[in-house]
Amino acid sequence: QDKMTESVTWEPTSDLEEILSRLKIDYEDRSYFITGSIDEGIYTSDCTFEDPTVKFCGLDLWKRNLQLLVPLLVQPKIELLSCSPLEISSLKSDLNAYGRIIENKIVCEWRLTCGLKLPWGPVIDIMGETEYDLIRDETGMLKICYHLERWNISGLEALLMVVRPLEKYPKDAN
């Protein structure tokens, strides 16, 4: 839980390869999905976060939401499987839902596994990908403005994993 407060704000960058490298660090070194320890320097403050169950705006709100979730996780693990820029030929003219011009996109594939601290000990095991939309801010720096998760299961199937577990984490697990 101490990692929750360890968000890092490196200097903004205009280099796509540096954004890619910093995202990999967020996954591999900080496990940001399950700790909340995120490189805030590569996100807009009003970044939109979306997964199959919820959508909201704001980096601070994302961190608050994760603070509520982290204490419920048992042996959480996020495994980064791949992370690379998306090849899109007409990217310069691509507008996202908020009318922002998307300069670049990055897609990271991952696997999330954990138990939940609930009496019946459900197990979560989800394969997914996160697509990151990058814009240039007013200073010319690249920033993630949209964080879209896609899972190998629906939001309903994820909810069913929680309420009707097929497996159970050991009671003595942290």
Side-chain angles (χ1 to χ4, degrees):
Q1 286 178 336
D2 292 334
K3 285 188 173 184
M4 275 302 300
T5 60
E6 294 177 8
S7 287
V8 176
T9 304
W10 289 341
E11 292 299 314
T13 183
S14 61
D15 182 55
L16 180 62
E17 287 302 316
E18 185 175 339
I19 298 280
L20 193 58
S21 173
R22 289 162 67 170
L23 273 174
K24 289 177 182 177
I25 290 169
D26 270 356
Y27 278 97
E28 295 171 341
D29 295 348
R30 289 193 282 276
S31 300
Y32 88 100
F33 255 54
I34 52 179
T35 64
S37 178
I38 192 170
D39 179 350
E40 296 179 24
I42 59 176
Y43 289 85
T44 61
S45 61
D46 64 345
C47 181
T48 298
F49 293 85
E50 181 176 356
D51 69 32
T53 62
V54 69
K55 179 179 178 179
F56 55 88
C57 294
L59 186 56
D60 288 339
L61 182 56
W62 177 83
K63 291 189 305 184
R64 280 194 307 269
N65 288 346
L66 211 53
Q67 283 177 334
L68 297 173
L69 181 62
V70 167
L72 299 175
L73 304 179
V74 177
Q75 298 176 342
K77 181 181 177 190
I78 183 85
E79 178 185 5
L80 181 63
L81 305 173
S82 69
C83 196
S84 59
L86 256 184
E87 298 294 327
I88 297 179
S89 58
S90 63
L91 203 51
K92 294 287 183 201
S93 63
D94 190 16
L95 296 178
N96 74 1
Y98 298 97
R100 290 178 160 171
I101 297 174
I102 305 306
E103 293 282 329
N104 299 97
K105 288 182 184 256
I106 294 174
V107 174
C108 297
E109 295 179 331
W110 45 265
R111 180 177 182 191
L112 171 67
T113 55
C114 68
L116 294 176
K117 290 181 185 173
L118 296 172
W120 54 96
V123 174
I124 303 298
D125 189 347
I126 297 175
M127 301 283 291
E129 68 178 22
T130 303
E131 183 176 309
Y132 302 89
D133 288 358
L134 289 90
I135 60 167
R136 292 219 179 258
D137 69 9
E138 59 281 350
T139 66
M141 297 295 124
L142 278 174
K143 298 271 184 132
I144 297 167
C145 69
Y146 202 83
H147 177 284
L148 173 64
E149 290 177 33
R150 295 184 192 95
W151 302 343
N152 66 332
I153 60 173
S154 69
L156 178 59
E157 289 170 310
L159 179 60
L160 289 176
M161 261 188 207
V162 172
V163 297
R164 290 187 315 160
L166 300 176
E167 299 180 52
K168 189 171 183 173
Y169 257 73
K171 291 248 185 235
D172 61 349
N174 294 333

